[in-house]
Amino acid sequence: MLREPELYDYSPMCDRPKITWPNGARVAFWVAPNVEYYEYDPPQNESRRPWPKPHPDVVPYSHRDYGNRAGFFRMMETMAKYGVRGSVSLNVAICQHHPELIKACNDLDWELFSHGIYNTRFTYNMTKDQERTMMEDVISTIMDASGQKVDGWLAPSLTYTTNTFELLAEFGIQYTCDLFHDDQPQPVNTKSGRLISVPYSLEMNDTVVLSMMGKSSRHYTDILKANFDQLYEEGAENGQVMCIPLHPFLIGQPHRIGNFAEVLDYITGHDDVWVTTGREIAAHYYEHHYDNVVASLTASRNARGGL
Amino acid sequence: MSNLPDDYLTYSNRALGMDHDRYTWSQLHERPNVTWPNGARVALWVVTQLQWFPMDMKPGVPVPGGSVRPYPDYWNYTLRDYGNRIGVYRIFKVLDKLGINASVAINSALAERHPFLIEQINQRGWEVIANGLDMGHPLHSGMDEAEEAALIKGVLDSLRNLSGQPVRGWLSPIRSESFNTPDLAAANGIDYLCDWMNDDMPYAFETKSGTIHNMPHTTELDDQQILINLRHTEQEYVDQLKDQFDCLYAESEKYGGRVMAINLNPWVTGQAYRIKALEKALSYITGHDGVWSATGADILDAFKAQA
């Protein structure tokens, strides 16, 4: 077992290179809806049960299905109203089950990135070859359904092997959303190629805040606004990233959508915000900052004696 | 199920005072008044915890904040690590702004990984408190005494060597002790423990290596306890800190100097959306006359000088 991920170097926020965004923006703001398919009767994985109850587990299954039937369109309409394009964390089986959703995303120029095949198929215990097969499937499925190249990755249901990041680099994935250690993109140390993490934030994730922590919708609104305010303040010194990861079955509920609209209205009402997508953040970072940051991290590592 | 033995109804320690010899029974309001330097009414003791939650944690007792997901759990590892890269510097900035003299309780394994953190503490003239090895190594009675002795000695040797400080305070990871912990800490030159949360003032604590003290340091005001475990809002956290201060400040008029300890976890309070709540509460406290912001060792020395 690894003691640590061995994926990134220590880099204190108070002592690192300055990051800038287009047009002098202080915060790169992106919204990442998770468009997911949970199976009715999925196979078991030794490390984790797909559903808490014996199958069928109708309540959580149907709760999530609400997202695709009702919540998605409501969420999409609200985002469009504020000019926010989504970066979709996609269970790619949606391409087969609900191609209407893929078409709607493409029509609005939304990004599609990988969230695995199904949210009930975990990466735990996959051999390297099995994980490769899954990745190939994801990449070709999104390409065939949308014409988009997969640039981003959020592991299905946040499940991993210790090969995951190496394989992402091998497949030319540009950025991962799976590391929660930072408010700026960070280089990921891999042997096979370039990879960066783009902040995705579990702290801002509707599932974590509303379901796991049991917060009210109004409290979630306060959290999102306060988080933005702080990053906007800090972004004057060093560019920051704020992501709102969403699930249409939660944020797309009628009683929550108004609060979400209020947050988008608030954030997009600021001047120095770059309203963007994960892919665009990664591309900008590679073009303007990656080499400089890697050089700085390498210098620090050498000064510490290679640790 | 077998019957209880007869001696289950024998009560060998049923006598006046405590059922152990670690400290004497004493009620807070009956003790002589203590006077703080410059006639201060409340000694404000801010303790930031810097901790490392390794990915291969197999602690002998459950560790709140530790991994709850299958290996490799990048989720929890990187969320905690956020505190040591980003959150801690937000907290330090607030403490700097308010001129607060603070203590930092740190895992020795983290200090060894990132000596930069020790430099930041020393630059400010703050105190290092030993917070054990890492969060995967809580102390408990299942440990062999020689193993625990070696662990405590190793932690203190490491932190004293890295910081150049005497390191007089000990906070066990998750406050978990074996029956031997106070003796082993004292044998290694520890002057005060922070684990026992049974008082608002320092008190004498007996060990095989003589009398040391326990400092008032409580989970009641711990950010992880309030915001994560109890899921209160940020505003409720502010209110609790202010209410605690108001009570101690008022009591001090009649009963003499009091201690208010605030325990901070950078992965909790150092989040962008929470840092202003901390600043609000600390500004309120330091905005009063008669508040002495001090390290644990300073408070203990002032207390002992009058005992």
Side-chain angles (χ1 to χ4, degrees):
Chain A
M1 272 185 156
L2 294 174
R3 294 220 78 196
E4 62 144 304
E6 298 179 356
L7 292 171
Y8 56 85
D9 290 13
Y10 185 64
S11 172
M13 184 58 96
C14 64
D15 184 27
R16 59 165 71 169
K18 183 179 162 74
I19 301 300
T20 55
W21 301 125
N23 302 312
R26 302 177 184 194
V27 175
F29 172 66
W30 66 300
V31 175
N34 286 270
V35 177
E36 298 175 331
Y37 201 106
Y38 286 74
E39 295 162 282
Y40 187 55
D41 190 15
Q44 293 296 321
N45 184 310
E46 197 184 312
S47 293
R48 183 171 145 192
R49 292 161 65 178
W51 295 111
K53 287 207 289 207
H55 306 172
D57 201 344
V58 169
V59 170
Y61 178 88
S62 58
H63 194 196
R64 277 149 189 79
D65 192 32
Y66 177 92
N68 295 332
R69 298 169 70 86
F72 176 82
F73 185 75
R74 194 175 280 130
M75 176 195 72
M76 177 173 254
E77 237 186 352
T78 302
M79 289 170 63
K81 182 179 171 192
Y82 295 98
V84 180
R85 283 171 299 145
S87 309
V88 174
S89 159
L90 184 71
N91 288 156
V92 302
I94 288 279
C95 297
Q96 282 81 40
H97 290 286
H98 307 315
E100 299 86 347
L101 301 184
I102 303 299
K103 182 177 183 311
C105 291
N106 256 0
D107 286 350
L108 284 173
D109 195 22
W110 284 22
E111 175 186 349
L112 303 176
F113 68 86
S114 170
H115 196 27
I117 310 291
Y118 285 107
N119 233 37
T120 36
R121 298 290 175 119
F122 307 137
T123 319
Y124 300 133
N125 308 310
M126 282 189 187
T127 64
K128 208 167 183 177
D129 281 343
Q130 287 174 324
E131 196 169 359
R132 270 201 191 101
T133 302
M134 182 266 284
M135 289 182 178
E136 281 163 4
D137 184 342
V138 164
I139 291 166
S140 63
T141 302
I142 289 186
M143 178 58 81
D144 292 348
S146 70
Q148 292 196 38
K149 174 178 169 291
V150 176
D151 284 335
W153 195 273
L154 179 69
S157 205
L158 280 71
T159 62
Y160 308 92
T161 70
T162 47
N163 297 318
T164 299
F165 296 90
E166 204 57 52
L167 292 173
L168 294 182
E170 192 181 302
F171 276 101
I173 299 295
Q174 298 292 299
Y175 70 96
T176 171
C177 303
D178 293 290
L179 302 173
F180 310 104
H181 59 317
D182 220 284
D183 286 327
Q184 292 183 332
Q186 291 292 306
V188 177
N189 299 332
T190 56
K191 294 184 198 80
S192 353
R194 292 194 315 181
L195 184 67
I196 61 169
S197 59
V198 169
Y200 164 87
S201 183
L202 290 170
E203 296 281 328
M204 299 296 107
N205 189 308
D206 58 352
T207 297
V208 174
V209 178
L210 298 169
S211 292
M212 294 170 66
M213 296 300 286
K215 303 295 192 186
S216 71
S217 187
R218 282 178 171 74
H219 187 197
Y220 184 39
T221 303
D222 294 341
I223 286 172
L224 293 171
K225 286 182 175 177
N227 206 72
F228 174 77
D229 286 344
Q230 183 67 27
L231 293 177
Y232 196 73
E233 184 183 310
E234 294 174 6
E237 286 177 30
N238 200 340
Q240 305 287 321
V241 177
M242 175 159 164
C243 179
I244 305 184
L246 296 173
H247 298 75
F249 77 93
L250 291 173
I251 204 69
Q253 296 286 344
H255 68 96
R256 291 204 182 98
I257 198 69
N259 294 118
F260 177 52
E262 182 187 326
V263 169
L264 292 186
D265 186 46
Y266 181 76
I267 291 176
T268 59
H270 285 69
D271 286 337
D272 296 326
V273 179
W274 179 31
V275 180
T276 185
T277 62
R279 175 185 283 146
E280 289 173 359
I281 293 171
H284 178 90
Y285 187 84
Y286 278 118
E287 190 180 344
H288 299 279
H289 301 299
Y290 179 85
D291 292 339
N292 183 33
V293 171
V294 168
S296 161
L297 291 169
T298 306
S300 302
R301 198 184 312 147
N302 291 340
R304 289 194 306 269
L307 283 171
Chain B
M1 228 181 287
S2 57
N3 289 336
L4 291 165
D6 289 342
D7 68 4
Y8 191 76
L9 300 181
T10 308
Y11 312 96
S12 53
N13 294 313
R14 191 178 184 179
L16 183 68
M18 307 310 299
D19 58 345
H20 59 77
D21 297 325
R22 288 297 187 188
Y23 48 81
T24 53
W25 157 242
S26 145
Q27 281 191 290
L28 179 64
H29 74 278
E30 290 183 334
R31 295 179 212 154
N33 287 8
V34 168
T35 308
W36 296 133
N38 303 312
R41 299 173 67 162
V42 172
L44 172 66
W45 183 31
V46 177
V47 183
T48 304
Q49 290 189 159
L50 299 182
Q51 303 179 326
W52 186 42
F53 293 77
M55 288 218 298
D56 62 349
M57 277 174 62
K58 286 202 179 93
V61 291
V63 174
S67 176
V68 289
R69 296 171 69 86
Y71 177 85
D73 181 2
Y74 298 114
W75 172 318
N76 283 289
Y77 183 94
T78 58
L79 269 182
R80 306 292 168 265
D81 210 21
Y82 177 93
N84 299 326
R85 300 165 58 89
I86 313 291
V88 61
Y89 301 108
R90 289 201 180 105
I91 290 175
F92 284 6
K93 206 169 174 183
V94 168
L95 302 183
D96 288 345
K97 184 175 168 187
L98 298 173
I100 289 173
N101 184 21
S103 299
V104 178
I106 186 166
N107 293 155
S108 63
L110 184 70
E112 287 166 17
R113 286 169 64 79
H114 310 316
F116 184 85
L117 289 165
I118 296 287
E119 287 168 28
Q120 291 290 310
I121 297 163
N122 278 348
Q123 268 174 28
R124 291 168 167 83
W126 291 350
E127 177 192 21
V128 169
I129 294 173
N131 191 202
L133 177 64
D134 62 39
M135 300 314 287
H137 290 86
L139 309 176
H140 59 90
S141 288
M143 290 177 85
D144 173 67
E145 183 172 349
E147 183 193 348
E148 186 181 357
L151 187 153
I152 290 174
K153 181 176 185 307
V155 166
L156 288 166
D157 285 351
S158 169
L159 288 174
R160 284 168 179 154
N161 180 43
L162 282 165
S163 69
Q165 296 194 27
V167 186
R168 298 169 57 191
W170 179 273
L171 172 64
S172 299
I174 65 162
R175 299 170 186 276
S176 178
E177 292 188 353
S178 75
F179 288 111
N180 303 315
T181 305
D183 299 322
L184 297 172
N188 283 283
I190 284 298
D191 289 336
Y192 70 91
L193 297 174
C194 313
D195 296 333
W196 298 61
M197 23 193 270
N198 48 351
D199 215 304
D200 286 326
M201 294 294 284
Y203 64 88
F205 201 96
E206 303 306 326
T207 75
K208 286 178 185 165
S209 298
T211 304
I212 61 172
H213 285 75
N214 187 76
M215 287 285 285
H217 183 268
T218 174
T219 58
E220 282 281 339
L221 293 185
D222 182 286
D223 53 359
Q224 186 180 351
Q225 172 70 359
I226 294 172
L227 294 163
I228 306 293
N229 301 346
L230 299 175
R231 304 179 180 190
H232 296 179
T233 66
E234 289 67 37
Q235 185 55 48
E236 286 164 335
Y237 173 61
V238 174
D239 293 341
Q240 286 165 73
L241 292 175
K242 287 164 81 172
D243 290 346
Q244 175 99 354
F245 175 78
D246 287 344
C247 174
L248 294 172
Y249 195 76
E251 276 187 10
S252 67
E253 199 166 11
K254 183 173 175 189
Y255 295 107
R258 288 282 189 247
V259 180
M260 175 162 174
I262 300 178
N263 197 43
L264 302 172
N265 290 278
W267 60 272
V268 181
T269 312
Q271 292 290 341
Y273 64 98
R274 292 201 178 111
I275 194 67
K276 285 289 191 290
L278 177 68
E279 184 173 343
K280 211 193 289 185
L282 290 177
S283 301
Y284 175 80
I285 293 167
T286 55
H288 286 70
D289 288 333
V291 173
W292 175 41
S293 152
T295 66
D298 290 340
I299 296 169
L300 179 64
D301 288 341
F303 177 84
K304 280 165 71 177
Q306 300 169 58

